[in-house]
């Protein structure tokens, strides 16, 4: 099987490339800075010679988009929007023009599209799309609009011979250096992994091996199209999430942080408090309805397994050295 992964040199792309290559598939990565034999240059916005790699491929998995691990300034939010929408649009153009288009196009999206809530989980059937919640920062609505425009760019692409799936992914947890598990583990090992602003907000996540298994599952299931949540079935409050992570690293203490302390910490990490404070309570309705089973459904066991892999030295830097991903 030939698989093309635009934006494939970030954390998620590295995880997926590693697994699919080990499966024996022919994997091509589209990147702005090619550094290997299977990497092809593209700019994420205009058609070029890279489109020839899509013509004749079996699967396209588009992961391109500016990292969400940054301060949410107006300029950065605009860059997030443009990088996602433009890359999706141009991938759709390449697929639409292909003489031999791929049979399936998996397009990265994000669980951030759902509303900030505590009362119930968001699945694809009854979940609430965010953007008009009361009592949250106004710019959170822009993050939801980014996700909506991202998905709309795929929906509107004229690709009649290619099945389209939008991957509403939660945070992908892997032992790779620079990824979200690495950053959160660093905080936990420093004793800073306590509840943030009370810790009631839900954290949705997915183990890296379940993410890969879900991608394989969606490639094979020709009856599944549209938005699919890629998240473990048991999201949990942030205070419980970090308690389990501290336990995985045998750290008994986790200092709590108030909202303003979270602001200072996010500033120091060049990130944003939305990633810490928004309650992302997301469950995988369509995956489980289709018969997919998770090998790591519960966070305490998943965190322990990831920590053991990291201790054994299985964490590695991503191909671009950043470990960053557009999923949030």
């Amino acid at each position: 099987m030939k698989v093309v992964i635009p934006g494939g040199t970030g954390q998620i792309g590295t995880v997926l490339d590693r697994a699919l290559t080990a499966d024996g598939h022919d994997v091509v990565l589209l990147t702005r800075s090619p550094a290997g034999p299977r990497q092809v240059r593209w700019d994420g916005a205009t058609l070029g010679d890279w489109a020839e790699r899509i013509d004749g491929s079996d699967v396209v998995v588009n992961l391109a988009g500016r990292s969400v691990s940054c301060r949410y300034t107006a300029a950065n939010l605009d860059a997030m929007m443009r990088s996602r929408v433009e890359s999706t649009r141009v991938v759709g153009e390449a697929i639409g023009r292909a003489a031999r288009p791929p049979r399936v196009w998996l397009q990265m999206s994000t669980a951030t599209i759902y509303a900030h809530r505590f009362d119930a989980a968001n699945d694809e059937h009854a979940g609430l799309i965010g953007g008009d919640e009361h009592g949250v920062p106004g710019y959170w609505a822009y993050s939801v609009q980014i996700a909506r425009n991202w998905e709309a760019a795929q929906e509107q692409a004229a690709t009649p011979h290619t099945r389209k799936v939008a991957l509403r992914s939660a945070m992908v947890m892997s032992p790779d250096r620079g990824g979200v598990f690495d950053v959160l583990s660093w905080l936990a090992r420093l004793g800073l992994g306590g509840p943030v602003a009370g810790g009631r907000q839900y954290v949705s996540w997915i183990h890296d091996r379940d993410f890969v298994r879900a991608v394989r599952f969606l490639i094979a299931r020709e009856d599944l199209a549209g938005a699919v949540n890629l998240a473990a079935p048991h999201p949990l409050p942030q205070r419980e999430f970090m308690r389990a992570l501290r336990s995985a690293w045998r750290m008994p203490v986790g200092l709590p942080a108030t909202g303003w302390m979270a602001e200072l910490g996010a500033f120091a990490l060049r990130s944003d408090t939305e990633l810490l404070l928004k309650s992302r309570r997301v469950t995988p309705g369509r995956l489980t309805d289709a018969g997919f089973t998770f090998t790591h459904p519960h966070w305490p066991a998943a965190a322990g397994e990831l920590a053991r892999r990291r201790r054994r030295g299985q964490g590695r830097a991503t191909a671009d050295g950043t470990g960053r991903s557009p999923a949030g």
Side-chain angles (χ1 to χ4, degrees), residues 57-206:
S57 66
D58 299 290
V59 179
V60 171
V61 186
N62 184 19
L63 305 177
R66 190 199 194 286
S67 171
V68 299
S69 184
C70 64
R71 298 297 293 169
Y72 281 13
T73 63
N76 285 341
L77 287 169
D78 180 65
M80 287 183 211
M81 177 76 83
R82 286 187 291 102
S83 66
R84 284 158 175 71
V85 172
E86 290 177 1
S87 62
T88 305
R89 174 190 53 77
V90 78
V91 166
E93 287 184 19
I95 293 173
R97 296 186 183 196
R100 296 169 297 158
R103 56 188 174 85
V104 59
W105 169 15
L106 304 183
Q107 172 60 50
M108 181 58 79
S109 180
T110 173
T112 296
I113 198 169
Y114 291 110
H116 167 81
R117 65 189 301 194
F118 302 89
D119 60 326
N122 289 307
D123 66 9
E124 304 93 331
H125 308 298
L128 301 178
I129 301 300
D132 58 358
E133 302 97 319
H134 295 291
V136 302
Y139 73 91
W140 285 17
Y142 194 81
S143 295
V144 173
Q145 193 58 50
I146 290 173
R148 296 181 74 147
N149 290 3
W150 202 3
E151 291 189 4
Q154 186 193 32
E155 292 169 7
Q156 294 163 8
T159 59
H161 304 293
T162 300
R163 176 168 55 96
K164 296 184 284 191
V165 181
L167 308 176
R168 289 181 176 171
S169 180
M171 294 185 294
V172 179
M173 298 292 178
S174 85
D176 296 88
R177 296 185 185 279
V180 63
F181 179 79
D182 186 34
V183 173
L184 294 176
S185 294
W186 174 71
L187 292 172
R189 294 197 300 270
L190 286 177
L192 302 177
V196 174
R200 291 180 55 241
Q201 64 276 24
Y202 276 77
V203 178
S204 288
W205 57 277
I206 185 169

Side-chain angles (χ1 to χ4, degrees), residues 121 170 202-207 210 229-236 281-285 287-288 292-299:
Y202 276 77
V203 178
S204 288
W205 57 277
I206 185 169
H207 189 282
D210 278 331
N229 292 349
L230 268 61
H234 301 292
L236 67 172
R281 191 174 181 182
V282 179
T283 52
L287 274 179
T288 53
F292 182 82
T293 57
F294 287 79
T295 57
H296 300 281
H298 299 282
W299 175 239

